[in-house]
Amino acid sequence: MSFMKKTIVLLLGLLFIVCSLHAQEKGQFVLQAEANAGILFCHPYQGTFNSIDLFGSIGPVFRYQVTDRLCVGIGANYCVHQFLQYMPVFADAKYSFGAGKTRPYAEIRAGYAFSLKRYDLMMPVIYSQSFSMEGFYTQFIVGYSIGHSDLGIGGQLINMKSEIIDFGDGHTSLKNRLQPAVFLHYAYNFYFGR
């Protein structure tokens, strides 16, 4: 790479860093674009954790900066877990510990997950079972903000519905179980005037 190209890349990088070190201020609106990836601990059959499955999600969170450290808002994510797809809609609160350009934060969310695609398991003549992620949803995230970016780790609980139809006696049973998960979190924040 020539000296001129290296200089231009360096200047663009410095410009990006300076522009991204915009502190959160009271009265601002924040649009956050985020991506999460993690593992879900499943126990859909007999009540014990019998599988560990990967999941991922992307989505926006729209917040209002109440104070220099606290912002509240609403959000939605599109989530994919193996053969299941779902969309949690949630209320969100984020608290920053510090007022600098880099600061730790904690975030909590609670809402409802809507099933977009369920998984059906069929054993002809014996039984039919379907799974869907629908119902109560919550997350807790801790991490570090660096300029516009958030890096964190989190925990999640989501309801998994399991419906079993026994073809032998025609009996139907419905089970709801909270499935725990852990994940890595990345988000980019866009700030809009006071």
Side-chain angles (χ1 to χ4, degrees), residues 94-97 103-107 140-146 149-154 185:
K94 179 181 176 185
Y95 186 82
S96 297
F97 299 94
R103 63 215 165 273
Y105 71 90
E107 188 171 341
F140 181 76
I141 304 167
V142 292
Y144 212 78
S145 295
I146 304 169
S149 294
D150 291 347
L151 300 168
I153 58 172
H185 172 79

Side-chain angles (χ1 to χ4, degrees), residues 32 34-40 55-61 63 73-81 85-93 107-115 132-141 154-161 176-185:
Q32 175 176 291
E34 69 178 35
N36 302 308
I39 55 174
L40 186 74
F55 79 94
S57 67
I58 58 171
V61 181
R63 297 190 186 102
I74 57 171
N77 279 335
Y78 171 71
C79 303
V80 176
H81 159 250
Q85 297 173 17
Y86 53 100
M87 180 173 287
V89 177
F90 51 86
D92 174 271
E107 188 171 341
I108 190 163
R109 300 172 172 178
Y112 190 89
F114 296 93
S115 177
S132 62
M133 298 293 210
E134 187 170 351
F136 177 75
Y137 170 86
T138 188
Q139 281 187 341
F140 181 76
I141 304 167
Q156 169 182 294
L157 285 174
I158 186 166
N159 185 60
M160 177 184 271
K161 282 187 176 180
N176 289 297
R177 291 197 172 113
L178 287 178
Q179 308 288 354
V182 292
F183 61 91
L184 297 174
H185 172 79

Side-chain angles (χ1 to χ4, degrees), residues 17-189:
I17 290 170
V18 169
C19 290
S20 70
L21 294 179
H22 178 70
Q24 299 177 8
E25 297 176 5
K26 180 180 174 182
Q28 285 184 319
F29 289 96
V30 182
L31 175 61
Q32 175 176 291
E34 69 178 35
N36 302 308
I39 55 174
L40 186 74
F41 302 97
C42 290
H43 51 69
Y45 304 107
Q46 301 301 322
T48 59
F49 292 112
N50 57 14
S51 69
I52 297 175
D53 300 325
L54 298 177
F55 79 94
S57 67
I58 58 171
V61 181
F62 188 70
R63 297 190 186 102
Y64 178 72
Q65 194 76 36
V66 178
T67 69
D68 291 338
R69 295 185 181 195
L70 175 68
C71 52
V72 295
I74 57 171
N77 279 335
Y78 171 71
C79 303
V80 176
H81 159 250
Q82 205 161 2
F83 304 109
L84 304 172
Q85 297 173 17
Y86 53 100
M87 180 173 287
V89 177
F90 51 86
D92 174 271
K94 179 181 176 185
Y95 186 82
S96 297
F97 299 94
K101 309 286 190 226
T102 59
R103 63 215 165 273
Y105 71 90
E107 188 171 341
I108 190 163
R109 300 172 172 178
Y112 190 89
F114 296 93
S115 177
L116 300 176
K117 181 180 178 186
R118 69 183 197 181
Y119 174 68
D120 294 312
L121 178 64
M122 190 77 121
M123 295 295 289
V125 183
I126 303 170
Y127 71 91
S128 164
Q129 188 168 15
S130 66
F131 302 98
S132 62
M133 298 293 210
E134 187 170 351
F136 177 75
Y137 170 86
T138 188
Q139 281 187 341
F140 181 76
I141 304 167
V142 292
Y144 212 78
S145 295
I146 304 169
H148 284 257
S149 294
D150 291 347
L151 300 168
I153 58 172
Q156 169 182 294
L157 285 174
I158 186 166
N159 185 60
M160 177 184 271
K161 282 187 176 180
S162 172
E163 183 177 6
I164 301 171
I165 300 172
D166 186 331
F167 295 138
D169 61 9
H171 180 73
T172 300
S173 64
L174 183 64
K175 292 183 181 178
N176 289 297
R177 291 197 172 113
L178 287 178
Q179 308 288 354
V182 292
F183 61 91
L184 297 174
H185 172 79
Y186 174 77
Y188 191 84
N189 299 288

